[in-house]
Amino acid sequence: MTRTKVGISIQGTSIYLDDRTVVLSEAIAKKWKVPSNQTITMRFGSVKQDIKVVTASTSNSLRVNPALASKIGLHHGAQLNLHYRQNTRTLSIGPLIGVMISRVYAGSNDRPFGAITAFCKEMTDACDLFGAIVCFFPPEEMHANAQSISAYSYSNGSWSKKTYPIPNVIYNRLTSRKFENKSNVQQFMNDAKAHFATEIFNEKYLDKTEVFEALRKNNSLHGYLPESYLFKNYQMLKSMAARHSVLFLKPITGSLGKGIIRIRKEAGEAYTCHYTNLAGVRKQSFASLTAVFQALSGKLKTQRYQLQQGLDLITSDGNPVDFRALVQRGALGEWAITSIVARIAGTQHFVSNLARGGSLTTVAEALTKSPFSSAIRVSVIGRLRKASLDIAKGIETNIPNHFGELGIDLAVDKMGKVWLLEVNSKPSKDDNTPLNNERKIRPSVKQIVQYSRYLAKF
């Protein structure tokens, strides 16, 4: 698509022109065949406004009267994409991207959104680069039948709150199921889609059972899936224990490695359980599988678990290694791999999350400490990449929700086979950071903005 970027200038047009007349660069008007001195529609986000265009010999600018700018939510200095559709006589500027965030810390000027503030600033920088406006809003600003939103944006070195139309595209970065499931949040999302054709991506959390059941529908993905079920009863535990010497119980809505239980068969009838908790890993021994189930039965009343076969994973200096692939849609709407990093579990841990003492390294570095030859290492990297894309496309095909990025956790066993551990629809903006600290816009953030621009048809 041909794109034209235009700078928004907010100033009085002329004493001879009314508030709804805008002044557009002559070259842009000519390129897009925008008629002069005729009533057409200007659109920004959900707002549509009748305007007239006059042209001037300015360079790449759209001059808008302050009253009109205030009404439709434009601010001075914004760099936006512009196009004109002759069949609908609509001059569209944008896109306006909204990001749903969990909370605002009103007393903190430097970090108003807590740990996600740096990411929000990075999103703003990426939008400046690609010709978009981004605003950020928490659950309390989401209302049924909303025609506009109060949201935060960054300009002139500080954060401020402004009124915006409903965005063209909304990216759900709510980091709590509790917030996401609030009735006002769900109603706001439904209304935005129904009334304004707003595209919303990463619109929901995925749980582990949902992912595995969905991917099982696709025969070509079966090879990536460890045996895995929603844990229901002792008979299921007994059946799985007969086939696998190590089992994992994972909370189906868990994250950061919290609450994972490893069950390992020992000599005779004995079993050992390892539990992750904030302090590290707790170990408990049992004389029988029945005793294990009895010890777990209390947990099963308050939390649903996925029961999964244990895997004999490659290690680095004796610690298990897994891999996080960040798979995103980009400027053409296609899935692509933005990054894959290796995560090494901390000492005494069996999960690799950074919150549990894990560490990051490159895939190549992690594989050099594996038992594989150099040829097999190259093959494994290819298999990790193929699995990442296959699984992202499988989620798209089998789960009826819109996702623009997925964190896909993979493992490699000592035979070089690639396995899926889990899929995260709210991948952290920290733990897949490239392994350097240069302050520039990360590729992952650029992809989000480019995909948003694609969705908004700019």
Side-chain angles (χ1 to χ4, degrees):
M1 179 192 292
T2 303
R3 289 195 180 94
T4 299
K5 204 168 166 182
V6 63
I8 306 299
S9 173
I10 310 297
Q11 54 181 288
T13 45
S14 164
I15 59 172
Y16 303 109
L17 302 175
D18 64 30
D19 288 353
R20 294 187 178 182
T21 300
V22 303
V23 181
L24 181 62
S25 296
E26 192 172 18
I28 294 175
K30 184 177 179 181
K31 174 182 176 180
W32 287 94
K33 298 183 174 60
V34 181
S36 296
N37 290 307
Q38 296 180 29
T39 298
I40 63 172
T41 301
M42 183 162 77
R43 178 169 184 177
F44 175 59
S46 63
V47 156
K48 295 179 180 179
Q49 178 67 56
D50 286 346
I51 61 161
K52 287 184 180 178
V53 171
V54 299
T55 61
S57 57
T58 54
S59 174
N60 291 347
S61 74
L62 178 69
R63 200 159 78 208
V64 181
N65 183 280
L68 177 59
S70 176
K71 183 174 181 179
I72 66 175
L74 281 174
H75 65 257
H76 184 76
Q79 295 285 324
L80 293 174
N81 288 284
L82 171 150
H83 60 66
Y84 179 69
R85 297 278 186 265
Q86 294 185 49
N87 59 336
T88 59
R89 295 177 63 82
T90 301
L91 182 72
S92 296
I93 52 175
L96 175 60
I97 303 168
V99 180
M100 297 161 61
I101 57 172
S102 293
R103 56 181 63 84
V104 175
Y105 300 91
S108 175
N109 294 330
D110 292 340
R111 300 179 79 231
F113 317 124
I116 203 172
T117 303
F119 165 73
C120 294
K121 174 63 170 62
E122 206 174 346
M123 273 285 291
T124 303
D125 293 343
C127 284
D128 290 345
L129 180 66
F130 292 113
I133 288 180
V134 63
C135 61
F136 305 87
F137 53 99
E140 54 267 29
E141 301 295 349
M142 303 178 207
H143 308 290
N145 299 311
Q147 302 296 305
S148 63
I149 53 168
S150 291
Y152 294 82
S153 60
Y154 189 86
S155 61
N156 300 320
S158 64
W159 295 97
S160 59
K161 195 174 184 181
K162 299 184 178 77
T163 300
Y164 288 94
I166 304 301
N168 302 97
V169 178
I170 293 175
Y171 170 40
N172 179 358
R173 277 303 310 177
L174 295 176
T175 51
S176 156
R177 286 177 173 82
K178 182 181 75 173
F179 290 146
E180 190 171 88
N181 293 329
K182 282 177 175 278
S183 59
N184 66 302
V185 172
Q186 290 297 313
Q187 191 63 54
F188 172 81
M189 289 198 289
N190 290 337
D191 289 347
K193 286 190 281 190
H195 299 162
F196 304 113
T198 296
E199 294 277 5
I200 302 178
F201 66 92
N202 285 46
E203 54 189 324
K204 70 184 285 286
Y205 269 97
L206 292 168
D207 72 48
K208 295 175 179 64
T209 299
E210 176 184 26
V211 166
F212 277 82
E213 288 183 353
L215 296 180
R216 268 195 209 106
K217 296 173 185 174
N218 190 328
N219 289 339
S220 68
L221 300 177
H222 286 184
Y224 300 128
L225 306 179
E227 191 173 3
S228 181
Y229 307 100
L230 180 63
F231 186 32
K232 292 181 178 177
N233 51 42
Y234 173 72
Q235 192 55 44
M236 179 181 283
L237 181 64
K238 182 180 177 183
S239 175
M240 284 283 279
R243 290 191 293 278
H244 308 291
S245 59
V246 176
L247 299 172
F248 282 90
L249 280 173
K250 300 179 178 181
I252 67 165
T253 57
S255 61
L256 303 177
K258 288 184 286 194
I260 295 176
I261 303 166
R262 181 174 68 183
I263 304 169
R264 188 173 66 201
K265 179 85 168 70
E266 306 293 356
E269 297 296 312
Y271 284 84
T272 301
C273 288
H274 291 84
Y275 309 82
T276 60
N277 55 42
L278 291 174
V281 177
R282 181 170 62 88
K283 178 180 175 182
Q284 195 172 7
S285 297
F286 297 92
S288 67
L289 192 62
T290 306
V292 171
F293 183 76
Q294 288 171 344
L296 296 175
S297 58
K299 292 180 181 293
L300 299 180
K301 293 173 183 173
T302 58
Q303 171 76 61
R304 291 194 300 161
Y305 286 84
Q306 189 78 357
L307 179 62
Q308 197 170 93
Q309 84 177 76
L311 303 168
D312 190 15
L313 302 186
I314 60 171
T315 61
S316 177
D317 298 325
N319 296 316
V321 176
D322 66 25
F323 303 87
R324 161 63 64 93
L326 180 63
V327 187
Q328 297 177 295
R329 299 179 195 258
L332 299 176
E334 302 290 336
W335 288 108
I337 296 164
T338 304
S339 64
I340 306 182
V341 295
R343 304 185 303 180
I344 302 170
T347 306
Q348 306 301 316
H349 282 265
F350 55 86
V351 294
S352 63
N353 301 75
L354 303 189
R356 297 274 174 264
S359 59
L360 287 182
T361 187
T362 63
V363 176
E365 178 67 23
L367 291 177
T368 59
K369 298 183 179 181
S370 72
F372 304 137
S373 67
S374 58
I376 292 176
R377 291 200 292 268
V378 170
S379 172
V380 166
I381 291 172
R383 276 176 250 160
L384 286 168
R385 296 184 67 83
K386 183 177 187 302
S388 303
L389 291 173
D390 288 349
I391 289 161
K393 291 170 184 174
I395 294 288
E396 176 188 1
T397 302
N398 296 301
I399 294 181
N401 296 99
H402 183 176
F403 300 100
E405 66 173 358
L406 296 166
I408 299 177
D409 291 346
L410 302 166
V412 176
D413 68 20
K414 289 178 179 173
M415 302 300 290
K417 181 174 168 58
V418 173
W419 298 89
L420 173 66
L421 298 179
E422 63 179 278
V423 179
N424 186 343
S425 61
K426 303 294 178 75
S428 165
K429 294 298 119 186
D430 295 322
D431 74 355
N432 51 16
T433 303
L435 298 167
N436 62 58
N437 294 314
E438 292 179 44
R439 284 311 310 154
K440 56 185 181 182
I441 305 170
R442 286 172 285 178
S444 60
V445 180
K446 291 180 180 178
Q447 285 287 79
I448 293 165
V449 175
Q450 289 182 292
Y451 181 54
S452 298
R453 191 171 63 175
Y454 164 83
L455 288 176
K457 299 181 172 63
F458 277 98

